[in-house]
Amino acid sequence: MTVSLEQLRRCHVAVDLGAARTRVYVKGSGLVVDEPSVAAVNTRTGALIAVGALAEKMTGRTPDYIRVVRPVSGGTVVDIEMAQRMLRHLLGDKLRRQLRRKPRLRAAACTPHDSDPLAQRAAVETLVGLGARRVELVDTLIAAAVGCGLPVEQPTATMILVCGAATTQVAVLSLGSIVTAERMPVGGDAIDHAVIQHLRHQHELMLPSQSVRPLQVALHGNGLTVQGPTYTEIHGRDVATGLARSVTVDTAAVRQAIQTPLTAVLDGIGKVLRDCPPDLVADLADRGIMMVGGSALLPGLDQMLREATGMPVQIAERPDVCSVLGLGAMLEGRVQPLALAPLSEGRPLRGLAVDDRPPAEPDALDRAAAEDLSAGDRPTATE
């Protein structure tokens, strides 16, 4: 892991700054914040108008002087000051006063795999600005694996697929560390963009920004699979006239448009399996792939991965909050590392060659020294 479990047990709060949602876990209180990573700012005065769900509802509905911003992109903080202001309002005054009572506030944060030092520095600066004296960084892949209950610390292979809004990460874990991993710049936003472009080019239809989710567009029922609905009705705005219009969309064409970004995910999984040792690949044939992240709920995505890889694919019970729950489990001390039984010094090691000859007799000088010490040369308390 990035840091030891002992250091994480000293932390008081865990933060998952995702591209879509921000989640905060407080030790002893559980998950206290789960809101969209969105803030609305008045450009004239610089005042923060709204954060979270209310700011997300303002997207596309604001006048010119109100700007809706996302201070986190792809799991990386791109605007440190705005991220700090957003977190302060999401936490609230009561919770911030509770955290200020800690003499040395420690925080833990998730970072994407192979994130550059600048991105790590931005995450640290964001939490330091909230009063944290020390910030521990944990890889998102390990935190998500712990959160969904995978035996990360065991000497067996576990494969996890983190489907985020901006990126998709896949890794093979063993003995609490990442054996091989890959990060693809494809996520739920790329799938949304593919659906938008398909409807714009084929049907000359523009969708509202909050109706772009594939789950609301054409992927009901079995979604990406052939057994899904044949046609679905979409409501949007005509590109030429600007008037409201409804069209009937062939879901097979929508599935074909989504296949392009999902191909990059399949390529990343194949690369991880090729770089993985053969013994671990044999374990994965039985255990399969665990899917976490908000985009893992895309209907039919698990079936498509199952057909492409030939391995069993499972979706975590709460895939969207696995990362922060894994960090919380480390903070609470519910994760125990693999402990090996210490070898006793007086017993021979099993499986090693041991000299069975009897111990050598002490020579004459050693016997004389022992007799002198027993006769009266032992030191006393007064000496």
Side-chain angles (χ1 to χ4, degrees):
M1 297 183 182
T2 310
V3 292
S4 65
L5 291 175
E6 186 62 31
Q7 292 175 327
L8 288 174
R9 289 193 189 101
R10 300 174 185 172
C11 296
H12 306 94
V13 60
V15 180
D16 180 16
L17 289 170
R21 301 182 74 86
T22 296
R23 300 175 178 92
V24 180
Y25 186 101
V26 176
K27 193 174 185 178
S29 301
L31 187 63
V32 295
V33 174
D34 186 5
E35 293 285 341
S37 303
V38 187
V41 186
N42 189 333
T43 57
R44 295 176 181 174
T45 62
L48 195 62
I49 298 176
V51 295
L54 180 58
E56 190 177 38
K57 291 181 181 179
M58 295 181 180
T59 305
R61 297 182 173 92
T62 59
D64 294 338
Y65 65 92
I66 295 179
R67 186 166 57 98
V68 178
V69 297
R70 292 182 177 270
V72 183
S73 175
T76 302
V77 179
V78 295
D79 191 343
I80 297 177
E81 181 183 358
M82 187 57 63
Q84 291 175 353
R85 297 175 65 183
M86 181 185 70
L87 275 176
R88 289 194 191 99
H89 284 77
L90 289 178
L91 289 174
D93 295 336
K94 181 179 179 181
L95 187 56
R96 278 190 291 140
R97 284 196 301 266
Q98 177 184 348
L99 294 177
R100 281 200 208 102
R101 296 193 187 102
K102 307 293 183 183
R104 288 185 59 84
L105 180 62
R106 290 173 175 249
C110 290
T111 56
H113 179 68
D114 276 348
S115 58
D116 55 280
L118 187 61
Q120 297 178 5
R121 179 76 179 186
V124 172
E125 290 293 334
T126 301
L127 297 182
V128 167
L130 295 177
R133 299 295 184 88
R134 183 181 177 92
V135 179
E136 309 290 354
L137 299 180
V138 181
D139 199 303
T140 303
L141 293 168
I142 296 180
V146 172
C148 62
L150 292 178
V152 181
E153 299 293 339
Q154 299 300 320
T156 56
T158 55
M159 191 170 189
I160 187 167
L161 182 69
V162 180
C163 305
T167 59
T168 300
Q169 307 173 64
V170 59
V172 175
L173 309 176
S174 180
L175 288 174
S177 299
I178 297 176
V179 179
T180 176
E182 188 73 18
R183 183 172 64 165
M184 293 77 69
V186 175
D189 294 341
I191 297 175
D192 295 349
H193 184 69
V195 175
I196 291 175
Q197 293 301 317
H198 170 75
L199 294 176
R200 184 182 181 92
H201 294 159
Q202 300 298 326
H203 301 279
E204 297 183 353
L205 192 72
M206 293 183 64
L207 294 181
S209 59
Q210 297 184 17
S211 301
V212 182
R213 305 305 305 173
L215 191 61
Q216 303 172 356
V217 176
L219 302 179
H220 304 285
N222 294 323
L224 297 177
T225 59
V226 183
Q227 292 78 16
T230 306
Y231 295 97
T232 186
E233 189 176 3
I234 303 297
H235 305 278
R237 189 185 73 180
D238 190 273
V239 175
T241 63
L243 301 177
R245 185 164 63 95
S246 299
V247 296
T248 302
V249 179
D250 183 9
T251 55
V254 176
R255 287 197 299 269
Q256 186 64 31
I258 292 178
Q259 291 294 332
T260 302
L262 293 182
T263 303
V265 177
L266 296 178
D267 293 342
I269 295 176
K271 185 177 184 303
V272 168
L273 291 176
R274 287 192 298 269
D275 296 341
C276 189
D279 293 339
L280 296 182
V281 176
D283 294 342
L284 295 176
D286 299 330
R287 294 180 175 272
I289 305 174
M290 178 65 74
M291 295 179 59
V292 300
S295 300
L297 298 174
L298 183 64
L301 179 58
D302 55 340
Q303 180 64 26
M304 191 197 73
L305 294 178
R306 195 176 294 113
E307 294 175 356
T309 60
M311 296 190 302
V313 179
Q314 300 177 358
I315 301 178
E317 184 177 354
R318 300 179 64 185
D320 51 343
V321 295
C322 280
S323 298
V324 70
L325 291 182
L327 272 182
M330 298 179 191
L331 266 61
E332 301 282 357
R334 296 196 299 267
V335 180
Q336 298 297 330
L338 180 64
L340 300 177
L343 299 173
S344 58
E345 298 179 358
R347 297 179 181 177
L349 296 175
R350 181 177 299 178
L352 299 180
V354 180
D355 191 359
D356 294 333
R357 292 177 297 178
E361 290 290 335
D363 54 12
L365 293 176
D366 292 338
R367 285 197 299 269
E371 291 174 358
D372 294 340
L373 185 60
S374 61
D377 293 341
R378 295 190 182 93
T380 61
T382 58
E383 294 176 353

